[in-house]
């Protein structure tokens, strides 16, 4: 099993969605990112530059989450995955985008789209 770094429940107010009301008012989105990488070089040297700085990563993920609106959660998830894979030491990433306030016309606690991408 590969080593993993996880950012769970990163939250932001975005304007993603296909309906006009979603684009006008926006809503809360959450993202979970699980990065697969070899953390042994960082552990052996105690050197942050040999791993992913998860504070920096979180800031970058948040910028995408609250940034340019897209229609589909699938598109948002792909953009977030691409950002994670831009780190050269990341071999794979799993992104889950949560849209807890999605208007489904029926009661529901959450809607998620989860993708996994590898180098």
């Amino acid at each position: 099993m590969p080593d993993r770094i996880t950012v769970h429940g990163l939250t932001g107010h975005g304007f993603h969605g296909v309906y006009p009301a979603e684009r006008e008012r926006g809503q809360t989105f959450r993202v979970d990112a699980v990065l697969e990488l070899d953390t042994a070089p960082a552990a052996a040297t105690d050197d942050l530059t040999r791993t992913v700085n998860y504070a920096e990563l979180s800031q970058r993920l948040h910028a995408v989450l609250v940034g340019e609106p897209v229609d589909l959660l699938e598109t948002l998830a792909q953009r977030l995955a691409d950002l994670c894979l831009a780190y050269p030491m990341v071999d794979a990433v799993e992104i889950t985008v949560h849209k807890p306030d999605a208007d489904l016309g029926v009661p529901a606690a959450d809607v998620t789209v989860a993708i996994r991408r590898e180098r």
Side-chain angles (χ1 to χ4, degrees), residues 6-117:
T6 301
V7 175
H8 182 74
L10 191 133
T11 304
H13 188 84
F15 295 85
H16 312 291
V18 297
Y19 300 118
E22 294 176 308
R23 292 295 182 108
E24 291 168 12
R25 291 190 305 264
Q27 59 190 291
T28 298
F29 292 86
R30 287 192 326 271
V31 65
D32 305 323
V34 181
L35 285 62
E36 296 179 5
L37 66 156
D38 182 3
T39 63
T45 61
D46 201 27
D47 183 355
L48 180 60
T49 66
R50 302 192 71 184
T51 188
V52 173
N53 179 330
Y54 49 79
E56 174 189 282
L57 171 68
S58 296
Q59 295 294 318
R60 295 179 70 199
L61 290 168
H62 186 265
V64 172
L65 194 63
V66 302
E68 180 185 349
V70 296
D71 288 344
L72 302 178
L73 293 181
E74 292 84 348
T75 305
L76 181 58
Q78 185 64 55
R79 288 184 180 179
L80 295 163
D82 290 342
L83 185 154
C84 294
L85 289 172
Y87 288 86
M89 67 277 299
V90 174
D91 298 318
V93 62
E94 181 176 320
I95 296 288
T96 304
V97 177
H98 300 259
K99 189 175 180 180
D101 299 322
D103 183 1
L104 305 177
V106 295
D110 198 4
V111 171
T112 65
V113 169
I115 65 171
R116 185 176 192 284
R117 299 291 183 263

